[in-house]
Amino acid sequence: VDKPSQPLTGIDVTRTLTGGTQAQGRLRVTIQNNREHDIELLYLETMPWLVTFYLHTLALTVDGVRRGKHAFSQVQAEQS
């Protein structure tokens, strides 16, 4: 299938849940801004009760750069 020359929407969001156990499971979310300007975005994830998130293992990558332990506060400070 040929991809259109221009994106069909302003943003693309892909979500993948992998792994067969709580210890090995991973949630990967990719958000891509297809617009020519910055946008403010709120992402809310709803998971079934049987999936437990461990935020101490959270990793954030922005523009190909992996962010550290305090990634969210770093991104917020950079935008100010």
Side-chain angles (χ1 to χ4, degrees):
V1 176
D2 293 329
K3 288 189 173 186
S5 60
Q6 294 183 357
L8 299 176
T9 61
I11 61 168
D12 290 327
V13 179
T14 57
R15 176 181 166 268
T16 308
L17 185 61
T18 61
T21 67
Q22 288 287 9
Q24 300 297 320
R26 290 178 181 234
L27 173 67
R28 178 182 179 151
V29 178
T30 304
I31 302 171
Q32 180 174 336
N33 179 9
N34 296 323
R35 298 177 184 214
E36 294 182 13
H37 59 279
D38 290 344
I39 59 171
E40 189 169 321
L41 179 78
L42 172 66
Y43 178 79
L44 173 64
E45 181 66 56
T46 304
M47 297 296 290
W49 64 269
L50 57 108
V51 177
T52 304
F53 284 105
Y54 298 101
L55 295 180
H56 67 281
T57 59
L58 178 69
L60 179 66
T61 304
V62 178
D63 294 331
V65 178
R66 188 167 180 163
R67 303 299 177 115
K69 187 175 182 181
H70 304 287
F72 294 108
S73 60
Q74 288 175 358
V75 170
Q76 208 170 23
E78 289 173 5
Q79 293 177 351
S80 298

